[in-house]
Amino acid sequence: MRKRQPKTYARLTHPLVRDSRDEPFRRATWDEALTRAAAGLGAARGAFGMFSCARATNEMNYVAQKFARVVMGTNNVDSCNRTCHAPSVAGLSAAFGSGGGTSSYEEVEHTDLIVMWGSNARFAHPIFFQHVLRGIRNGARMYAVDPRRTSTAEWAESWLGLNVGTDIPMAHAIGREIIHAGLANRAFVERATSGFEEYRQLVEPWTLSLAEKVTGVPAAAIRELAHAYARAERAQLCWTLGITEHHNGTDNVRALINLSLLTGHVGRYGSGLQPLRGQNNVQGGGDMGAIPNRLPGFQDILDPPTRLKFETAWDTVIQPHYGLNLTEMFEAMEERTLRAVYCIGENPAQSEADSEQAVRRLRALDFLVVQDIFLTKTAQLADVVLPATAGWAETDGTTTNSERRVQRVRAAVTPPGEAREDIDIICDLAARLGHDWKYADAEAVWNELRSVSRDHYGMTYERLEEHQGIQWPCPDVARLEPTYLHGRLWESDPADRGRLAPFGLVQHDPPVDLTDEEYPIRLTTGRRLDSYNTGVQSGGFASPLRRGEYVELCPEDAERYGVVVGEEVRVSSRRGTVLAPVWIDTALRPGLAFMTMHFPDEVDTNQLTIEANCPIAGTAEFKASAIRIEKLPAPIQVR
Ligand SMILES: Nc1nc2c(c(=O)[nH]1)N[C@H]1C(S)=C(S)[C@@H](COP(=O)(O)OP(=O)(O)OC[C@H]3O[C@@H](n4cnc5c(=O)[nH]c(N)nc54)[C@H](O)[C@@H]3O)O[C@H]1N2
Ligand SMILES: Nc1nc2c(c(=O)[nH]1)N[C@H]1C(S)=C(S)[C@@H](COP(=O)(O)OP(=O)(O)OC[C@H]3O[C@@H](n4cnc5c(=O)[nH]c(N)nc54)[C@H](O)[C@@H]3O)O[C@H]1N2
Ligand SMILES: [Mo]
């Protein structure tokens, strides 16, 4: 067996440039690198896109989107939120008008029921999971809905091991059962929602026995979850990528939200909806406007008074239409209408579905600037590489977590070499392109944001310090709002209740990449506790836990293929082939395999995944590919 050591990346310590892509990089001064970057980007006005960093601060994301909108005149700005929770934001916005998770971590400790749906929080959100465990200790019951019996599921009272991509049948059957058992919260449905009758008709065919057939979960277990959720006094429904990373991710999210509307488990202390966001600041990146359809404060670009407010504040003209999202920017590269990219702290060469295609598109750009803390595979494709300080521990500012809590972060260690803060680099580039923004420090950026975003206005740095972080919305400098959103839905006066929350009328739509005789195994991909995303940031430390990449199979499948732990096999999908050693895991069932995205330099899992995107959110179906596994011929014995 070949020994696979995860690749380690060295921190970037000085700028790198090259005259053509065939040449190696050479070290450059900041002045030369910035002049080149400004020339290359400036020449691409009208065909420019920006990827902004979900790990860097709010202040950095605010300045980055301002660079795209003011300096480059475009709304083409996005981040890895697109590969991840964009369907949650789209689904929650459609239902409630705002895309944030509705409750706080504290409420998870004071609830009666926790449903972890398509979420392996024990591995991926270990801090949040501490709150879950406290909730369980306080008497909450927990259910896990996941094709794998994950480490999270091991803590649950009941594990519903559904087939990949059958969440809508499961949710609809739960909804139907709640209605038929007379457990719907009729009063809430009437006062706060719209479209109930259509929803009732939509879910009517989804009997427990039909759902059992489609999902593979026994009818009795589905019924039990339906009754437990509807009868609970307070309930938290948490979901993550098992729901969103599908070609119909937004529909999946709507199907879950429907259950909260049916039971009134939203808008009250202890009852809510929690999409656990991915990176430390992916919530903040979107809030700061580093997305193509929203200005800072999650304000709609299509709204003329909103645009006017920002045009006045920034002395500019804002394009009156949505920009391209990350997925659409990659498509525009193919069509050659997007010619230059400024990529800050993202590694799409390894994180995009069908990575071979993504790399080909990045290579074909006229100009690529990468600003990162490591020389990633994406950076290796660039014309100019700019070394940044890390948003964590090397930079002052704020970040916003999954419960919408804005918290201060501080520079505590000296950055390596000539690395500079993201904000300073962006501002220097802006200045070279004719926009002289003067920010004394991160707080000055934050105060500019406060002046244009009502939801953030009440959060001065001083108050953030005093309260150890504050959740948005916080429009008032003297008051704090409730920890949960949408309390208005419970108001007795219809005028205070505002807009009704519509049921999502969504249909089951199985994964695009069908399994068949040639590709008989369903591959789902995700995370392990010991590694982070494309491995750039977590590859550098030794861990007894980290065992590199494997294709994980259940014992029955391993036996069927005649393979043992550590044996290298060929894994192929309709898009590509990789070699990976086998791991045997009883968390899986026959016909289901699991791989991570953590070791792309050793095993490039995303050569296998399919770029089938959710038409509403642009998120790819990372969670469902069809593969085949082939045993390699025995090596020739040399005597
Ligand atoms: N240790 C660690 N933590 C991380 C990260 C990391 O790389 N490493 N990355 C961060 C990021 S960016 C994110 S977005 C989050 C992601 O956090 P999670 O979403 O919890 O992580 P995943 O492992 O990608 O997927 C979650 C689960 O979805 C299940 N699943 C697959 N298909 C389906 C399906 O069809 N239906 C259902 N119901 N479930 C399904 C998988 O079996 C898996 O257990 O984690 C964050 N935290
Ligand atoms: N097969 C498969 N693929 C997936 C997924 C999956 O579940 N399965 N999940 C998807 C998801 S949810 C996500 S979020 C994406 C993640 O995809 P990416 O965001 O492309 O991958 P990361 O490895 O998180 O890259 C983060 C980069 O940010 C840099 N960085 C960190 N901090 C800073 C900073 O302060 N400033 C700057 N300038 N740079 C910084 C790091 O060095 C690193 O290069 O992957 C997606 N791809
Ligand atoms: Mo993510």
Side-chain angles (χ1 to χ4, degrees):
M1 176 179 119
R2 198 144 45 93
K3 181 93 185 119
R4 291 167 189 273
Q5 278 298 331
K7 177 170 173 160
T8 57
Y9 289 84
R11 277 295 292 270
L12 282 165
T13 54
H14 47 74
L16 298 170
V17 300
R18 57 180 159 192
D19 297 319
S20 91
R21 301 260 173 83
D22 316 321
E23 290 174 18
F25 286 116
R26 65 177 167 79
R27 181 176 181 157
T29 61
W30 269 107
D31 188 50
E32 184 192 2
L34 288 170
T35 304
R36 277 172 178 250
L41 297 181
R45 277 200 181 90
F48 168 81
M50 168 178 266
F51 308 161
S52 186
C53 182
R55 284 140 287 261
T57 61
N58 283 324
E59 290 75 2
M60 174 271 159
N61 275 283
Y62 177 88
V63 173
Q65 61 82 36
K66 188 171 164 182
F67 181 93
R69 295 197 161 104
V70 177
V71 178
M72 301 302 292
T74 179
N75 292 315
N76 298 345
V77 51
D78 206 2
S79 80
C80 60
N81 77 80
R82 197 59 48 196
T83 59
C84 176
H85 267 295
S88 302
V89 176
L92 286 164
S93 299
F96 305 111
S98 144
T102 75
S103 37
S104 61
Y105 295 173
E106 171 196 303
E107 289 165 64
V108 173
E109 299 178 16
H110 304 287
T111 191
D112 303 304
L113 186 84
I114 304 166
V115 186
M116 301 300 299
W117 198 317
S119 163
N120 189 10
R122 164 79 181 80
F123 275 16
H125 298 90
I127 295 178
F128 175 79
F129 202 67
Q130 293 303 314
H131 297 275
V132 170
L133 291 180
R134 260 183 234 151
I136 293 173
R137 215 173 299 141
N138 290 341
R141 301 163 72 186
M142 178 167 101
Y143 286 78
V145 186
D146 195 303
R148 299 184 305 140
R149 193 167 49 74
T150 59
S151 176
T152 302
E154 279 168 17
W155 288 87
E157 177 168 321
S158 171
W159 163 58
L160 286 75
L162 80 180
N163 296 326
V164 169
T166 62
D167 297 277
I168 290 178
M170 171 78 82
H172 282 3
I174 291 174
R176 180 187 186 277
E177 176 61 23
I178 290 173
I179 295 169
H180 277 251
L183 295 172
N185 186 333
R186 283 279 179 181
F188 182 80
V189 166
E190 241 157 68
R191 72 174 359 177
T193 74
S194 65
F196 170 73
E197 185 47 34
E198 290 86 344
Y199 174 71
R200 196 191 59 74
Q201 287 172 25
L202 176 81
V203 299
E204 187 51 31
W206 287 103
T207 58
L208 292 173
S209 63
L210 177 60
E212 171 171 325
K213 220 175 285 162
V214 176
T215 65
V217 176
I222 304 175
R223 182 177 181 278
E224 187 194 318
L225 174 52
H227 284 243
Y229 185 69
R231 288 180 196 275
E233 177 62 30
R234 297 161 299 183
Q236 293 284 342
L237 182 44
C238 311
W239 71 84
T240 52
L241 305 186
I243 284 300
T244 60
E245 281 184 343
H246 285 283
H247 76 284
N248 56 346
T250 307
D251 287 358
N252 282 344
V253 169
R254 294 296 298 272
L256 299 200
I257 294 173
N258 287 340
L259 300 180
S260 76
L261 299 180
L262 195 57
T263 52
H265 283 319
V266 64
R268 286 185 299 138
Y269 187 86
S271 271
L273 299 162
Q274 267 294 358
L276 307 167
R277 304 299 304 262
Q279 304 79 24
N280 54 323
N281 199 32
V282 66
Q283 176 71 50
D287 298 343
M288 292 304 112
I291 42 174
N293 56 348
R294 292 287 187 273
L295 287 157
F298 206 72
Q299 300 176 76
D300 197 339
I301 286 181
L302 299 187
D303 179 47
T306 298
R307 273 204 313 278
L308 184 63
K309 174 170 75 173
F310 282 90
E311 290 178 336
T312 312
W314 293 344
D315 187 19
T316 194
V317 176
I318 290 169
Q319 296 295 316
H321 49 74
Y322 294 158
L324 302 178
N325 65 35
L326 188 71
T327 308
E328 291 163 342
M329 284 194 254
F330 270 89
E331 286 160 9
M333 289 179 206
E334 184 79 42
E335 290 152 16
R336 300 187 66 79
T337 50
L338 195 95
R339 306 301 316 138
V341 165
Y342 183 5
C343 170
I344 309 179
E346 296 284 331
N347 188 17
Q350 296 187 315
S351 59
E352 285 286 300
D354 197 347
S355 53
E356 209 169 283
Q357 169 179 274
V359 168
R360 183 171 51 72
R361 289 170 171 179
L362 287 166
R363 267 189 216 288
L365 284 170
D366 292 340
F367 199 67
L368 175 63
V369 179
V370 171
Q371 180 169 314
D372 205 291
I373 60 178
F374 293 106
L375 190 66
T376 60
K377 181 155 179 206
T378 308
Q380 287 166 36
L381 305 173
D383 299 281
V384 176
V385 180
L386 305 171
T389 65
W392 193 80
E394 292 175 0
T395 311
D396 271 322
T398 61
T399 58
T400 309
N401 72 5
S402 260
E403 58 166 359
R404 299 169 277 108
R405 185 177 302 280
V406 179
Q407 305 180 87
R408 284 279 280 118
V409 291
R410 288 178 185 76
V413 296
T414 314
E418 296 171 18
R420 298 182 61 199
E421 287 197 16
D422 283 303
I423 292 184
D424 294 341
I425 306 172
I426 300 166
C427 286
D428 265 9
L429 268 179
R432 279 173 161 78
L433 290 164
H435 294 263
D436 213 356
W437 302 328
K438 296 257 181 296
Y439 295 111
D441 50 21
E443 189 172 9
V445 178
W446 183 251
N447 285 335
E448 181 175 312
L449 174 265
R450 287 180 50 231
S451 75
V452 287
S453 169
R454 185 183 165 274
D455 282 351
H456 295 90
Y457 178 72
M459 302 179 190
T460 60
Y461 266 23
E462 211 180 344
R463 283 190 88 207
L464 289 175
E465 181 104 29
E466 182 191 340
H467 295 280
Q468 298 194 330
I470 298 176
Q471 288 176 283
W472 64 251
C474 180
D476 194 317
V477 285
R479 226 188 42 227
L480 293 180
E481 300 295 312
T483 55
Y484 53 89
L485 296 178
H486 316 312
R488 64 173 176 83
L489 295 172
W490 291 89
E491 293 291 342
S492 43
D493 186 343
D496 295 334
R497 228 174 285 152
R499 165 186 184 282
L500 297 177
F503 279 89
L505 303 178
V506 295
Q507 304 273 7
H508 175 43
D509 190 6
V512 172
D513 206 19
L514 294 175
T515 50
D516 60 12
E517 261 173 38
E518 209 181 336
Y519 299 99
I521 300 235
R522 175 58 74 210
L523 171 71
T524 196
T525 64
R527 289 158 174 79
R528 294 206 209 112
L529 179 62
D530 53 88
S531 297
Y532 181 70
N533 287 3
T534 63
V536 178
Q537 289 172 259
S538 52
F541 71 98
S543 159
L545 287 175
R546 195 178 322 96
R547 44 190 165 88
E549 186 59 13
Y550 285 85
V551 55
E552 299 179 4
L553 302 172
C554 71
E556 295 89 331
D557 280 343
E559 197 182 322
R560 195 152 57 88
Y561 289 109
V563 294
V564 296
V565 169
E567 176 175 345
E568 194 152 78
V569 293
R570 187 179 292 123
V571 186
S572 310
S573 76
R574 296 184 175 93
R575 288 144 306 275
T577 295
V578 300
L579 297 178
V582 168
W583 190 264
I584 296 174
D585 191 341
T586 52
L588 294 160
R589 290 166 301 141
L592 180 65
F594 182 76
M595 292 176 76
T596 79
M597 56 183 294
H598 297 317
F599 308 94
D601 293 298
E602 290 78 33
V603 179
D604 191 357
T605 302
N606 275 332
Q607 293 209 9
L608 304 172
T609 50
I610 183 170
E611 209 220 351
N613 300 315
C614 169
I616 301 166
T619 304
E621 194 152 57
F622 289 109
K623 292 291 182 262
S625 314
I627 58 164
R628 78 166 162 258
I629 305 243
E630 289 161 292
K631 197 173 162 70
L632 297 180
I636 297 164
Q637 298 288 325
V638 183
R639 283 171 199 274

